[in-house]
């Protein structure tokens, strides 16, 4: 960790390189690609028994949120990470009104 007045030079350089790369490839091309990949993942996950995709809206981003009935989200995350995939957990308490209305599990997985 850094003190308030300190910063990571490596992080600043990495961010600059990422911005240059994104500009070279093109933001629209990146958005189209990640949106298509996420849409494909939603369709494939939705076809698996006991998997529920929790994403809503007519326009969806590249983050896919799901759960699997009978399997703890923490165990899903561990399995994904051991297979080389990055994922995160989101507790239902992060959106209490929506989670209660939609009756979502205590923790969801995001990829």
């Amino acid at each position: 960790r850094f003190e308030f007045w300190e910063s990571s030079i490596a992080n600043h350089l990495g961010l600059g390189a990422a911005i240059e790369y994104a500009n070279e490839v093109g933001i629209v091309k990146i958005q189209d690609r990640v949106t298509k990949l996420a849409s494909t993942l939603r369709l494939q996950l939705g076809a698996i028994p006991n998997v529920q995709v929790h994403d809503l809206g007519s326009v969806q981003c590249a983050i896919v949120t799901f759960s699997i009935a009978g399997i703890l989200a923490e165990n899903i995350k561990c399995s994904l990470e051991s297979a080389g995939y990055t994922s995160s957990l989101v507790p239902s308490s992060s959106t209490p009104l929506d989670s209660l209305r939609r009756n979502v599990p205590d923790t969801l997985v995001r990829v």
Side-chain angles (χ1 to χ4, degrees), residues 22-93:
N23 285 332
E24 286 174 21
V25 172
I27 297 298
V28 173
K29 281 180 77 174
I30 293 169
Q31 179 183 9
D32 290 345
R33 175 76 173 141
V34 298
T35 302
K36 188 174 191 168
L37 288 171
S39 178
T40 300
L41 179 58
R42 284 185 191 94
L43 290 172
Q44 291 176 347
L45 285 172
I48 300 171
N50 299 318
V51 174
Q52 183 176 2
V53 177
H54 297 276
D55 302 329
L56 299 176
S58 58
V59 177
Q60 297 178 331
C61 69
I63 299 171
V64 179
T65 306
F66 70 98
S67 62
I68 303 174
I71 302 177
L72 292 174
E74 292 81 359
N75 293 343
I76 298 168
K77 183 180 188 317
C78 286
S79 294
L80 288 170
E81 288 183 351
S82 68
Y85 297 99
T86 300
S87 64
S88 63
L89 301 177
V90 59
S92 61
S93 62

